[in-house]
Amino acid sequence: MINLQQYKEKRLARFNQLVLLDDVGKVVQSCNSIFDTSNYSNKSICSDIPFLDSIFDIINSITLHSSEILFSKVESSFNQLKGVYDFTFSKILIENKTYILWAIYDFTALYKDLIDYQQRYNDLEIKKQLSFSVFESIAKYPQDNENVKAMIAALNKKDDHQEFELHACIQSVLDAFAYLKNTTITYTNSGVVKILYGDITWFKFVLYNLLDNVIAAYEVIDIQLNPVSNDASDRTYLNLNFLFSGPIKNPAFFKKILNNPNLDTNALSNSEHVFLSKLYAVQKIAHQYNGYMELKPLDDSYQNLVITLAFSFHFKR
Amino acid sequence: MLKTKVLLTGNFGVGKTSLFQRFIHSKFDERYLTTIGVKVDKKQIKVDNGDVEVFLWDVAGEVSQDKVPVSYFLGAHGIIYVFDLTRPLTDQNLMSDLSYLKKLAPKAIIKVVANKKDLVTPEQIAKIGGSLDVPYNIITSAKTGENVESLFHDLAKEMFQNLSK
């Protein structure tokens, strides 16, 4: 039988190093598990590691009774210490002399996965923000109409309690979208509906992504948005009715989202097409925006439409 | 020589690492490579009355500054808060972030930098400037290098004056 304790210590030792520094940064002692510090017994190690140099006064000023200071995820480019490390610093007393105890934890391999994940997430998020920004600016500037002007003026006020006339907001988003995607979007409204400033950014993101997903699935777009109710006193609730119709552009899209490769898309009714595309949009939005939507059929007054569903936006704040 | 610690902070993808590379190595890379923690390097700057050694901390971008490890700010003499002129969401938390940073590092000089000037028109800059809760101090382009030296020179000068008092 192997001695697991010894094996563990030997294994972990490769990823940890303890270095004892004096008050000018010379190495008094080191276990040298990660890098050799023998060059630094007569000169300060700070001269070669800018990170240490920049905080040496701080770590030198901590006392014996202070808690250790942690610097996580330090990306080091020092030749013998290349990678991503967590460093902790504390003061210890040895034979009546105080030293700085520098503990090095090599998390390079662990953080590599984190970097990859972070890169993918950030790339996606930046792309989303930029596409939104572009279509928003198109909506704002070339169309010099009074509604859009009013919306910009209200936005610039940055008043969290400012109310917006919702139609102006929707119209500007749709105009921009129609322009960018070279498609036609019709919009019908029913009376004045207000939305609070605090919700407007989220609302635009949701609307943009909803349209983007639906357009990805259909050859011809005919969308009607019909706000039916909104309570401006409730910041987290907004009802909208959406109507989508047109032939499916890509049957594989539905097979994929339904996880059903044998699905006969020709047999789907228009209502089902619409429902599925919206369901997909909802899933995507819920995933990306930490919010969720409810799908529910409307009352009889909408029976002449192909299909109409009410979306309830619930934003977690 | 006076040693100073300066943090580059702000949202992700706003160009902090590009400003870092431009200032330290006079380089620019079109690729966006995320930073997950912090990178530190140094450079000397001559100011009117002497030399300042700037230790620049390139901190991983966060949507709000309270996500940045507090230890990073220990002993900071200067903080450069960067936002991206092409992405409105990156200045959304400007006011609350600055207020948080002032509490965390009350003695640090804070500069607000609007980066990526090369990607926007003067009209867009004017509109963005008008909509900000807090005015920016300088507009930079890490890509072309415009105003990058000025940013660090002005900051170094102020830090020098502060520390010489």
Side-chain angles (χ1 to χ4, degrees), chain A residues 45-75:
Chain A
I45 196 165
C46 297
S47 56
D48 285 338
I49 304 181
F51 170 81
L52 274 185
D53 205 1
S54 68
I55 51 149
F56 198 75
D57 287 346
I58 296 288
I59 56 180
N60 215 6
S61 68
I62 60 180
T63 65
L64 277 172
H65 306 293
S66 307
S67 351
E68 64 179 17
I69 303 177
L70 164 70
F71 293 93
S72 58
K73 304 189 203 85
V74 179
E75 296 178 39

Side-chain angles (χ1 to χ4, degrees), chain A residues 11-76:
Chain A
R11 190 177 164 78
L12 290 179
R14 286 186 289 150
F15 303 103
N16 297 325
Q17 181 166 342
L18 292 178
V19 184
L20 213 54
L21 302 172
D22 68 9
D23 60 1
V24 292
K26 289 179 189 167
V27 175
V28 178
Q29 202 180 329
S30 168
C31 63
N32 287 350
S33 307
I34 299 174
F35 79 108
D36 181 13
T37 59
S38 53
N39 286 339
Y40 301 103
S41 54
N42 291 316
K43 71 165 183 174
S44 171
I45 196 165
C46 297
S47 56
D48 285 338
I49 304 181
F51 170 81
L52 274 185
D53 205 1
S54 68
I55 51 149
F56 198 75
D57 287 346
I58 296 288
I59 56 180
N60 215 6
S61 68
I62 60 180
T63 65
L64 277 172
H65 306 293
S66 307
S67 351
E68 64 179 17
I69 303 177
L70 164 70
F71 293 93
S72 58
K73 304 189 203 85
V74 179
E75 296 178 39
S76 166

Side-chain angles (χ1 to χ4, degrees), chain A residues 175-201:
Chain A
D175 287 348
F177 210 88
Y179 177 86
L180 281 177
K181 303 287 181 179
N182 194 23
T183 187
T184 305
I185 302 173
T186 57
Y187 173 55
T188 317
N189 67 53
S190 59
V192 172
V193 181
K194 303 244 182 215
I195 184 169
L196 291 176
Y197 171 70
D199 291 327
I200 202 109
T201 307

Side-chain angles (χ1 to χ4, degrees), chain B residues 45-49 52 109 151-164:
Chain B
I45 298 179
K46 277 195 187 305
V47 293
D48 298 343
N49 301 316
V52 176
I109 294 166
L151 162 69
F152 286 98
H153 184 267
D154 292 352
L155 180 61
K157 198 171 163 183
E158 283 184 56
M159 289 189 299
F160 187 89
Q161 286 163 354
N162 250 11
L163 293 168
S164 306

